[in-house]
Amino acid sequence: MVKPGAIRFTLLFSLLLPALAGATELYRYVNAKGVTVLDRLGVPPEYISKGYEVLNDQGRVVKVIPPAPSAEEMRRQLADKARASSDAQLLRLYSTVDDVDRAKARKLTELDGVISAAQGNLQLLRTQQANLQSQAADQERAGRQVPEHLVAQIDNLKAEQAGLQKDILRYQEGRKQAEASFAADQARLLELIGTRR
């Protein structure tokens, strides 16, 4: 059984064909009312994203332009592309899981060295502060006013210590993030190597 819409379309096409005989291409798209339209001038901009077909002068489809992807499809495609790029970079960096372990050990050793140096500097500042406070206490016990420069030095040392303590916390957080990052790289590399076998 032939649908009435198909008969109308065929009839319309057969009526338009002689008028369009000089045209080299026809564009077929569906308008806002759901009606299939044939146009030799092109597809109006508001319908391009919905997809259309290009027909030759005999009415045969020569090209199909698919609908533009939805926002969700676009996000998925971008995420897939980013993942593929990340995977390719991971495979360039490491060929085995042992490579990841070695890189992790180097990075953690480097971070441990930085943390240790900062902790050593912090201890040095504390010792200097203790010495200056001892001098200030001696001045007070002797009944003299503590010199301004001594008070300023103690305040500066306290500020430096606070800055170093923040740095140490930041380095320790960086170490945790590095461990997590290497663990993720290792897990993903295992997946990639497993799929290539």
Side-chain angles (χ1 to χ4, degrees):
M1 179 171 167
V2 179
K3 294 182 180 177
I7 294 172
R8 276 193 303 240
F9 177 74
T10 306
L11 180 62
L12 176 64
F13 187 71
S14 64
L15 292 173
L16 286 176
L17 193 57
L20 299 173
T24 57
E25 288 183 335
L26 291 172
Y27 299 89
R28 181 167 54 195
Y29 62 93
V30 177
N31 69 13
K33 295 179 181 176
V35 176
T36 301
V37 178
L38 288 174
D39 195 333
R40 64 185 168 105
L41 300 176
V43 180
E46 64 268 23
Y47 301 121
I48 289 176
S49 65
K50 296 178 182 176
Y52 59 93
E53 296 173 333
V54 180
L55 289 70
N56 64 14
D57 55 358
Q58 276 99 40
R60 291 193 182 104
V61 175
V62 292
K63 190 191 281 186
V64 176
I65 309 301
S70 68
E72 180 59 36
E73 289 171 331
M74 199 65 147
R75 277 191 293 275
R76 186 181 44 74
Q77 288 173 2
L78 290 173
D80 290 348
K81 187 176 179 182
R83 175 59 119 181
S85 173
S86 173
D87 288 349
Q89 182 178 1
L90 188 65
L91 289 169
R92 279 193 301 274
L93 285 173
Y94 312 113
S95 32
T96 67
V97 174
D98 290 338
D99 292 342
V100 178
D101 289 336
R102 283 190 289 275
K104 175 184 175 183
R106 279 192 306 272
K107 184 65 176 176
L108 295 182
T109 299
E110 175 189 321
L111 289 170
D112 288 342
V114 170
I115 292 168
S116 180
Q119 288 171 334
N121 290 339
L122 182 60
Q123 187 56 46
L124 182 63
L125 291 174
R126 287 177 177 155
T127 302
Q128 290 175 353
Q129 180 185 342
N131 289 339
L132 292 175
Q133 284 177 326
S134 175
Q135 291 175 25
D138 289 344
Q139 294 287 330
E140 287 177 342
R141 279 192 292 275
R144 292 187 291 263
Q145 176 112 11
V146 178
E148 286 295 319
H149 75 278
L150 197 55
V151 173
Q153 285 179 316
I154 292 171
D155 289 342
N156 286 342
L157 287 172
K158 287 179 181 177
E160 286 183 52
Q161 288 175 64
L164 268 175
Q165 287 170 334
K166 285 181 184 176
D167 288 345
I168 290 169
L169 289 174
R170 189 167 37 91
Y171 299 146
Q172 290 170 337
E173 184 58 35
R175 190 183 194 287
K176 287 179 191 172
Q177 289 174 358
E179 284 183 313
S181 176
F182 280 110
D185 285 352
Q186 193 173 44
R188 184 63 183 157
L189 187 63
L190 281 170
E191 286 177 32
L192 293 171
I193 292 171
T195 58
R196 290 186 345 185
R197 288 182 180 165

